[in-house]
């Protein structure tokens, strides 16, 4: 689409961007934020090639969003966030490279500019987002004006013109203020000045002041963005720029009639002089021209006012501002290039510093200018540093502990600006003040102490978003609302600035003076104090800005190059000590859920781990020095605990981040073990699983449920108990217990805690903290709360097994005999928890608590709890906990019976039984790693029997039938896992289960009239019979003891009982099938069920008779001669299945089970007086018929193949194969309509013949055909031959005559080899051919030899020629060209064997001569094998 329809594709991207804005999609989560960022990046990249299209689309979106009507604080916030996203995207698109340097200016002026200007003019006190919008819009305007200056300038110029002719006093100067935000170079600044000179006089006072203020900002935009141009101005002055600057100076000077106006214009006037280097040079002389007297007078007045001799406070303040501007501008000029500006600065700077940095009388312009005052002092400080970094008198004043906090704030922010802004080459670097690192650390310690003290003694102080940091700080200093609060605010903002400074350049705090006498431990202690102080700030929820900066500072301190500065004398030992303390403290806070933005902190912690490993790799030869200290081990344990506990977070991002952190644990272990060359598992026992966690963290985004399932699977693979995983389990268990109580008591707890309603802030805070473990209440309306509880449950289930290894074996289950005496029976499992002893392990108690929740009836979340416990225990439980679970389930269910063994039915026990059945089925169905090892550690016989005993008495309600069906399915799964389970008395147990489950088979008796119930009962019949089939496999019947009947007689009666039940069930199936045969729809669905039920019943009969031939054959043999065809066929089918089992061994004589089948073999191979085989022929009559299955009628070709194998194997073992062939061939010949249809179908006789050829002729075919085929394949002369003789399939380059010769030549070679192989022909096959000849001769005497030949080629030789690979003669398939030739050759050979010529296929007629000429040779070959 992008290639063929670029406009539509771009529009689709813009539409997607629009639809995912917060104002339309609602409050953003992590996923939507990532998606929004992706959309932004996409549009930014597209704008490089489709610039106008993208900008036009974004302008339309912005316009629509601006015009939206919103209601409520949340909608307003989403609106602002959407506008910020759009503006940020616009700015980046406008700033980047593009396919056109200009936008259509009409579109720009009419559409985009007005929308942007709305934000420039926005103002609302106390709204931080409004300030962000203004800044973002300013950035858009700046980028827009880079390549479209004329459009913006035109709007400004137009407005100036309008104001020049306007007669109103109150004027709108908003468009003039655009000057402050546009991109200005030297030429553009000149245009602005010229336009101002032209129109300044005609403007009203308000407009004039706006122009004065805006031009000042425009000047600094130019200097800061194009410093080289400004520097060049003093090397090569520009007369036209100086001329318009001088003119404007004079205009402004005439405007400044009063002291108030002078104060307003002095800052601009000093800038206009700076723009006129020659004028500045001239007025520095003693004598100046008359035209410049006013400029010299201006400078003199400026200096007087600065020294305090003006008599006006306003002028003194304005002079200070102007002088700071002069100092700041001078730093962009090399003083070597111009001594005039240097002279002017030096003449003022002493008075300036005395005015601004006087601790006894701090500089202030009043209540509304605190922020501007601080900015002014910072500008002055930075400029003085850049002018002379060694003149540090003001530095010491600001650094002095006795100075006001404002001075400290100015110092710190000035240093930060020096670090982050170094646009000019000659500016001195920050290293000039490294020597004050000790004093700066002291300032940090003092400030941190005051802030932490205020946090502990007062309520958390929220930073009001209405003011900037500087405003907040100075406001708190000047206005004493509450002295303690005011002071606390001041120190908080100072602390934030200091932490930012560390982030900017950590060496300011780490620098060590070159004092050789300073001990290393003192250096280490000072570093530890610094880092410990920062670490304490990370979890401070009341100071999120400071916490974030502290994290950034710590990350910078952990960069490898900075770690070495912690203590240069012992860097590695110091690293292990201090960094381990960082990890320990942070992880402890994370574990306790004492932080709001835990996911962000975890991401930061991952970066810390990466930095640690980089440092260790850099010093890998000595990486383990000092790593044996206790805090190092403790930190690793706490880190493991934290990472484990984040795995059950409801936040997908938090889970993935914690998983990725495991990689860095493994990398650290690799580095440490590489030093001492020891196995990595010695440090990290679960290294392999941790690496799997790390690899999964890179997976594509997936759902929360799927991710948790993967997490639990990995947790189950953890093999080694460690302090980390044990503590993680215990801490999680404690939180889980607390959360469980809150959930079960909800909403009572919520009401008692007075938390019926919560503010938006509290809701957000709760969601960012642990949902159920970090507070005293829970809100189940927040889905994350319940999800976290579910995740914790899964975590405890999955990792509980490895934690169990830390415990004693007292809690493990022991074997108990099935059906033994039941002690301490209770009527309900609710009392179960209180009856258990106190010696159990926490893991055991957790399982006990889980079982009690299996029947949770909580009104709001009971169903979710029950469902999740069923799934988690059944699918995610650690296999090591299976024995404990089995034992507890057995004990619980045993309490559902009274002392006399009567079932105690109630509304709690029945759901518990149903849940147990589901859990056991899930558990046995789930073939997790290690499950086989643990399944057999406890017997489940008693529990299973008690489950059946309980369910038996539930009656025949719909629910009861469903429970019975599920239980039968459980029994079937149990038998599938039979080899993994342990049974104390298996045969007795299985006999009892068969007895119980066969009672549930209803057949057509007791059928409900309702079709739905009827379907359920049929499902129960099906499930019961499937379970019985699995139970009866290899099960000798064991009658109940003590009834006084002889054992064999009792077994015989029991066999008859079951066999009769199964036969009746088969009869029911047949009757219902006949009734529904004429109907469709629902009835046909029932018929499919019955077909499946019939199949299960036959299997049950087979298994029953198979395992009890001695006692059952006498009851069943008569069915083989039953008058009812269906009954007779069923018995034959049963018999066939038993015979199949008997022939699975190499030979019947070698198997230990031979005796069991001896009588059956004799029965099947029994021969009558006339040589007939009644049982074998009965099987032949039954098997070919079609049979219904669950998916419809199918022909039993596979059964025919299997029966053919069974019969040939049995009769050959008794040397009666000839008799079998005679009977089967005779029946085939008798039923044949003509000679042409003989052995052409898939009859059993054909299958037996094919099987004989395959078994006895394989070696012969291999020896005969392999050399011939390999000659064709490998002979170089024949490799390029073609055998295609069909003209419609010839390639253009092929010759039909040549191909015919090739095919004839190959056929001649093969045919000659075949007829000359008589001496190699197997004797068993001669016997088959002879039998076939004799049988056919009786009905078709003239064609008997032809029948033998036809069958031999059709069933034996030609299949091997056509498919040599499938026949095992070749190792790989021949090429298609050769394959085609072999197929055509087989047609010729088959015609020779059939003694017929080609008539229908025109392209084969040319071979008729060859066919006719070989009739006699073929006849002689066939005669030699059958006569």
């Amino acid at each position: 689409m992008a290639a063929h329809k670029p406009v539509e594709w771009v529009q689709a991207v813009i539409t997607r961007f629009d639809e995912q804005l917060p104002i339309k999609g609602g409050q953003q989560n992590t996923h939507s934020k990532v998606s929004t960022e992706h959309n932004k990046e996409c549009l930014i990249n597209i704008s490089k090639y489709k610039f106008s299209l993208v900008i036009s689309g974004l302008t339309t979106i912005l316009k629509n969003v601006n015009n939206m009507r919103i209601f409520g604080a949340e909608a307003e916030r989403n609106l602002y966030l959407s506008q910020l996203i759009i503006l940020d995207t616009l700015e980046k698109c406008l700033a980047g490279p593009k396919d056109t340097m200009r936008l259509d200016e009409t579109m720009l002026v009419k559409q985009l500019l007005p929308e942007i200007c709305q934000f420039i003019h926005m103002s609302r006190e106390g709204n931080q987002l409004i300030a962000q919008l203004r800044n973002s819009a300013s950035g858009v305007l700046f980028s827009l004006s880079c390549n479209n200056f004329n459009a913006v300038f035109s709007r400004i110029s137009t407005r100036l013109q309008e104001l020049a002719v306007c007669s109103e006093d109150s004027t709108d100067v908003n468009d003039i203020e655009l000057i402050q935000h546009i991109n200005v170079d030297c030429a553009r600044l000149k245009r602005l000045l010229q336009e101002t000179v032209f129109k300044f006089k005609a403007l009203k006072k308000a407009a004039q002041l706006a122009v004065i203020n805006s031009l000042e900002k425009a000047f600094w935009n130019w200097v800061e963005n194009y410093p080289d141009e400004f520097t060049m101005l003093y090397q090569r002055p520009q007369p036209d720029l100086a001329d318009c600057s001088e003119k404007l100076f004079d205009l402004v000077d005439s405007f400044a009639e009063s002291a108030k106006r002078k104060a307003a214009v002095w800052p601009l006037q000093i800038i206009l002089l700076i723009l006129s280097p020659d004028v500045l040079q001239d007025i520095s002389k003693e004598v100046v021209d008359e035209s410049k007297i006013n400029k010299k007078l201006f400078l003199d007045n400026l200096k007087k006012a600065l020294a305090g001799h003006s008599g006006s406070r306003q002028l003194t303040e304005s002079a200070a501002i102007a002088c700071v501007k002069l100092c700041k501008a001078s730093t962009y000029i090399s003083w070597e290039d111009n001594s005039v500006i240097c002279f002017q600065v030096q003449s003022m700077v002493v008075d300036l510093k005395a005015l601004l940095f006087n601790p006894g009388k701090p500089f202030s312009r009043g209540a509304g200018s605190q922020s501007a005052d601080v900015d002014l002092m910072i500008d002055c400080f930075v400029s003085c540093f850049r002018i002379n970094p060694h003149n540090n008198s003001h530095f010491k004043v600001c650094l002095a502990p006795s100075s006001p906090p404002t001075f400290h704030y100015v110092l710190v922010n000035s240093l930060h600006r020096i670090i982050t802004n170094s646009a000019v080459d000659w500016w001195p670097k920050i290293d000039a003040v490294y020597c004050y690192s000790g004093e700066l650390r002291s300032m940090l310690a003092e400030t941190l102490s005051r802030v932490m003290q205020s946090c502990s003694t007062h309520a958390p102080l929220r930073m009001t978003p209405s003011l900037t940091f500087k405003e907040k700080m100075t406001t708190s200093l000047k206005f004493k609302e509450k002295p303690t609060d005011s002071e606390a605010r001041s120190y908080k903002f100072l602390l934030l600035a200091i932490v930012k400074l560390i982030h900017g350049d950590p060496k300011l705090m780490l620098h060590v003076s070159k004092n050789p006498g300073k001990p290393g431990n003192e250096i280490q202690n000072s570093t530890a104090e610094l880092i410990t102080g920062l670490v304490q700030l990370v979890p401070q929820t009341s100071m999120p800005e400071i916490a974030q900066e502290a994290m950034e500072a710590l990350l910078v301190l952990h960069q490898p190059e900075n770690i070495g500065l912690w203590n240069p004398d012992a860097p590695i030992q110091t690293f292990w000590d201090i960094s381990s303390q960082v990890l320990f403290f942070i992880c402890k806070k994370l574990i306790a859920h004492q932080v709001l933005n835990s996911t962000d902190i975890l991401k930061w912690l991952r970066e810390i781990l990466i930095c640690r490993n980089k440092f260790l790799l850099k010093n890998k030869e000595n990486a383990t020095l000092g790593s044996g200290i206790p805090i190092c081990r403790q930190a690793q344990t706490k880190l493991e605990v934290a990472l484990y506990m984040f795995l059950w977070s409801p936040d997908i991002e938090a889970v993935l981040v914690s998983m990725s952190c495991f990689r860095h644990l493994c990398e650290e272990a690799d580095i440490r073990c590489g030093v001492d060359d020891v196995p990595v598992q010695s440090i990290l026992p679960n290294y392999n699983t941790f690496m799997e966690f790390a690899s999964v963290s890179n997976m594509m985004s997936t759902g929360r449920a799927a991710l948790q399932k993967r997490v639990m699977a990995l947790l189950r693979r953890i093999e080694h108990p460690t302090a980390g995983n044990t503590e993680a389990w215990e801490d999680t268990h404690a939180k889980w217990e607390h959360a469980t109580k809150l959930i079960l008591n909800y909403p009572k707890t919520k009401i008692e805690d007075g938390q019926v309603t919560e503010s938006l802030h509290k809701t957000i805070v709760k969601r960012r903290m642990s949902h159920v473990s970090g507070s005293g209440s829970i809100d189940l309306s927040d889905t994350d709360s319940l999800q976290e509880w579910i995740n914790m449950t899964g975590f405890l289930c999955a990792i509980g097994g490895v934690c169990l290894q830390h415990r004693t074996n007292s809690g493990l289950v022991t074997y108990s005999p099935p059906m033994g005496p039941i002690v301490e029976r209770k009527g309900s499992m609710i009392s179960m928890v209180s009856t258990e002893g106190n010696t159990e392990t926490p893991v055991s108690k957790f399982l006990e608590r889980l079982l009690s929740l299996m029947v949770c009836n909580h009104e709001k979340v009971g169903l979710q709890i029950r469902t999740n416990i069923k799934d988690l225990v059944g699918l995610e439980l650690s296999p090591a906990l299976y024995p404990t679970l089995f034992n507890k389930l057995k004990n619980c269910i045993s309490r559902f019976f009274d002392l006399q063994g009567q079932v105690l039915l109630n509304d709690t026990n029945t759901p518990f039984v149903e849940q147990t059945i589901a859990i056991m089925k899930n558990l046995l169905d789930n073939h997790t790693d290690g499950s086989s090892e643990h399944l057999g550690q406890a017997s489940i016989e008693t529990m299973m029997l008690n489950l059946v005993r309980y369910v038996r008495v539930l009656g025949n309600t719909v629910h009861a039938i469903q429970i019975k069906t599920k239980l039968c399915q459980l029994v079937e799964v149990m038998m599938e896992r039979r080899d993994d389970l342990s049974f104390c008395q298996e045969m007795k147990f299985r006999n009892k289960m068969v007895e119980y489950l066969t009672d549930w088979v209803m057949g057509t008796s007791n059928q409900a009239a309702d079709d739905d119930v009827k379907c359920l009962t049929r499902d129960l019949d099906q499930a019961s019979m499937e379970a019985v089939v699995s139970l009866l496999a290899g099960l000798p019947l064991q009658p109940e003891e003590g009834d006084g009947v002889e054992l064999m007689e009792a077994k015989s009666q029991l066999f008859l009982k079951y066999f009769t039940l199964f036969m009746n069930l088969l009869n029911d199936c047949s009757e219902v099938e006949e009734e529904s045969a004429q109907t469709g729809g629902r009835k046909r669905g029932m018929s499919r069920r019955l077909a499946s039920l019939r199949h299960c019943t036959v299997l049950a009969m087979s298994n029953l008779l198979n395992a009890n031939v001695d006692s059952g054959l006498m009851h069943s043999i008569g069915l083989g001669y039953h008058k009812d065809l269906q009954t007779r066929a069923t018995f034959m089918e049963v018999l066939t299945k038993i015979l199949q089992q008997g022939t699975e061994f190499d030979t019947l004589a070698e198997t230990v089970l031979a005796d069991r089948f001896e009588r059956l073999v004799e029965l099947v191979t029994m021969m009558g007086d006339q040589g007939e085989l009644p049982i074998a022929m009965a099987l032949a009559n039954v098997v070919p018929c079609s049979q219904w299955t669950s998916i419809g009628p199918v022909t039993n070709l596979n059964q025919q193949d299997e029966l053919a194998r069974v019969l040939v194997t049995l009769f050959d073992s008794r040397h009666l194969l000839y008799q079998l062939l005679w009977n089967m061939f005779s029946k085939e010949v008798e039923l044949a309509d003509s000679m042409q249809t003989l052995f052409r179908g898939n009859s059993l006789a054909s299958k037996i013949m094919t099987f004989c050829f395959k078994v006895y002729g394989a070696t012969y075919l291999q020896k005969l055909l392999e050399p011939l085929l390999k000659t064709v394949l490998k002979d170089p002369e024949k490799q390029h031959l073609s055998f295609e003789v069909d003209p419609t399939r010839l390639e253009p380059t092929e010759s039909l005559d040549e191909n015919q010769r090739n095919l004839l030549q190959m056929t001649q070679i093969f045919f000659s080899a075949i007829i000359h192989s008589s001496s190699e022909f197997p004797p068993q096959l001669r016997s088959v051919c002879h039998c076939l000849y004799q049988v056919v001769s009786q009905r078709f005497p003239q064609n008997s030899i032809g029948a033998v030949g036809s069958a031999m080629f059709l069933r034996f030789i030609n299949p091997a020629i056509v498919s040599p690979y499938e026949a095992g003669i070749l190792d790989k398939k021949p090429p298609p060209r050769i394959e085609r030739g072999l197929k055509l050759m087989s047609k010729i050979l088959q015609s020779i064997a059939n003694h017929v010529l080609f008539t229908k296929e025109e392209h084969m007629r040319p071979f008729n001569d060859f066919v006719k000429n070989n009739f006699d040779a073929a006849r002689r070959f066939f005669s030699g094998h059958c006569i």
Side-chain angles (χ1 to χ4, degrees), residues 550-565:
M551 289 162 60
E552 297 294 337
L554 283 167
L555 190 57
V556 172
L557 285 168
H558 271 81
Q559 295 301 316
E561 63 273 15
N562 292 329
I563 293 177
L565 301 176

Side-chain angles (χ1 to χ4, degrees), residues 343-364:
F343 169 76
Q344 295 294 346
V345 168
Q346 287 179 338
S347 67
M348 300 179 188
V349 71
V350 175
D351 289 338
L352 178 63
K353 289 196 288 187
L355 177 63
L356 295 182
F357 298 102
N358 183 357
K361 186 181 179 182
F363 179 81
S364 174

